[in-house]
Amino acid sequence: MWMQPLIQKEPKRIFTFGCSFTKYLWGTWANILGAEFPQAKFYNLGRPSAGNQYIHNVIMQVDNIYNFCSSDLVIVQWSNVYREDRYFEDAWRNSGNIFFENYYPKKFVEDYFDMYGAYVRDFALIKSAWCGLKDKTQVHMIKMKDFDHPSPYKELQQQILDLSELYAPTLDAVHPSIMKTLWNNDLDSKFERDEKLVHPLYKDGHPSPAEHFDYLKKTFTHDWSEATQLALDVAQHQWVELMRLACDSGYKTRETNIDGYRFNEYLQTLKINNKHFLRGSDEPDARLHRQ
């Protein structure tokens, strides 16, 4: 596994993009970066269920507004390619995996969504973003899961490998995936560990705060501050307490978001402050079409 320095110089602004592996109900790798560089402005533009169309679009809008420069740190977390993002009626519609969610009618998926076409679309978007950022700012690209891991669609394997070779100069710049780095693409093993660590009923496919920190340490070279490591310890402890409370209260978690309203109730019950999130995002420019 290859690693790169996280920064070349101290950032004055931090911009993070991605799906729920970037912005979730608890702290992610993005919030850890915000905590590590407290003097920098921190904008977390992640969005749960977002696909790569959304991520690319928001990157372009943010660059137009903020004009990325060499004193920024920009990290883009690419998502699952089997997602469909659409903007209509003044809002983004982000449905998650188009084959597992019920947002789009089955007939639409059968008639208009092509699995290989999703790779054709998203690899072009990834190259577009990389070419636009790599000579402009301090930038890293990471990913939620491996692009060449299309199971259960094994019939696409060779086509995807051929397309990956075509885009190799760009895809080689993307760091190893979060799911590969943390769990070797084996979610069942994660669930087994979480059942012991948290609760027999707990089952959520998102990394814990400690796992997010583990990913950063395995991906980038950086001398992490003692303050950040202490804050992470607090966040992880509070996260375990919170998840146990959720399970003991009768909420059987699964591979989905914990209800946001109930989550905030639990925060108040445990008197957990914003250290649980490590550092929240600064409010971005209102002109962004990100909601």
Side-chain angles (χ1 to χ4, degrees):
M1 182 178 297
W2 54 279
M3 299 175 69
Q4 289 181 342
L6 177 63
I7 58 172
Q8 297 297 330
K9 61 181 176 181
E10 194 83 3
K12 295 181 180 179
R13 302 184 300 185
I14 301 170
F15 299 91
T16 60
F17 303 89
C19 61
S20 58
F21 273 50
T22 295
K23 188 171 186 177
Y24 198 47
L25 292 169
W26 51 80
T28 72
W29 60 268
N31 302 98
I32 296 171
L33 292 179
E36 176 68 4
F37 303 104
Q39 303 306 316
K41 296 290 289 183
F42 167 49
Y43 302 103
N44 187 351
L45 287 306
R47 180 176 171 87
S49 299
N52 296 323
Q53 294 163 291
Y54 172 87
I55 293 168
H56 180 272
N57 192 288
V58 175
I59 292 169
M60 297 299 110
Q61 289 193 47
V62 171
D63 187 24
N64 279 334
I65 292 172
Y66 289 97
N67 191 20
F68 296 140
C69 63
S70 61
S71 60
D72 296 330
L73 174 61
V74 178
I75 301 189
V76 181
Q77 174 254 301
W78 297 108
S79 188
N80 188 338
V81 301
Y82 298 122
R83 295 187 175 187
E84 184 79 12
D85 303 309
R86 288 174 180 263
Y87 187 89
F88 63 93
E89 296 180 349
D90 297 323
W92 279 99
R93 307 299 193 239
N94 307 108
S95 64
N97 191 313
I98 197 169
F99 297 111
F100 300 146
E101 302 296 334
N102 297 317
Y103 186 85
Y104 290 100
K106 184 177 180 181
K107 182 170 176 54
F108 171 88
V109 177
E110 292 175 348
D111 291 349
Y112 299 110
F113 191 86
D114 182 84
M115 291 183 288
Y116 178 65
Y119 286 88
V120 173
R121 175 198 66 198
D122 285 8
F123 283 3
L125 294 175
I126 293 168
K127 178 177 180 179
S128 169
W130 179 242
C131 290
L133 297 175
K134 64 184 177 69
D135 297 322
K136 192 173 187 179
T137 187
Q138 299 181 91
V139 60
H140 298 286
M141 298 196 303
I142 62 177
K143 53 193 173 184
M144 179 184 74
K145 66 183 298 184
D146 293 343
F147 297 135
D148 59 351
H149 192 259
S151 179
Y153 315 114
K154 290 184 171 54
E155 67 275 10
L156 297 178
Q157 191 74 43
Q158 190 57 53
Q159 279 184 283
I160 293 168
L161 290 175
D162 291 343
L163 189 66
S164 298
E165 184 176 348
L166 180 66
Y167 279 97
T170 298
L171 298 182
D172 287 347
V174 184
H175 288 274
S177 73
I178 297 174
M179 295 181 70
K180 171 71 173 179
T181 301
L182 293 179
W183 314 312
N184 197 30
N185 292 322
D186 183 3
L187 267 178
D188 287 338
S189 66
K190 168 184 168 52
F191 293 151
E192 290 175 5
R193 289 193 298 271
D194 285 348
E195 286 176 7
K196 296 175 182 177
L197 172 67
V198 182
H199 195 284
L201 295 178
Y202 180 74
K203 189 175 185 181
D204 188 289
H206 295 83
S208 69
E211 287 177 315
H212 278 290
F213 194 31
D214 190 35
Y215 176 74
L216 288 175
K217 290 187 291 186
K218 290 179 176 179
T219 304
F220 303 108
T221 58
H222 180 69
D223 185 16
W224 296 94
S225 70
E226 183 178 351
T228 296
Q229 296 185 65
L230 290 174
L232 192 283
D233 290 342
V234 171
Q236 178 69 10
H237 175 74
Q238 292 179 335
W239 175 81
V240 171
E241 283 192 73
L242 191 63
M243 296 303 103
R244 287 174 178 169
L245 177 62
C247 295
D248 287 338
S249 298
Y251 185 82
K252 294 180 173 60
T253 60
R254 59 186 182 88
E255 287 183 77
T256 186
N257 297 10
I258 292 177
D259 176 76
Y261 178 78
R262 185 169 295 189
F263 182 86
N264 289 324
E265 277 190 335
Y266 294 150
L267 284 176
Q268 294 172 9
T269 299
L270 291 176
K271 296 182 173 57
I272 291 176
N273 60 24
N274 62 4
K275 286 184 180 178
H276 178 83
F277 299 94
L278 298 160
R279 178 186 173 187
S281 173
D282 293 319
E283 191 62 30
D285 193 291
R287 289 173 292 175
L288 287 173
H289 297 86
R290 65 186 186 92
Q291 300 296 338

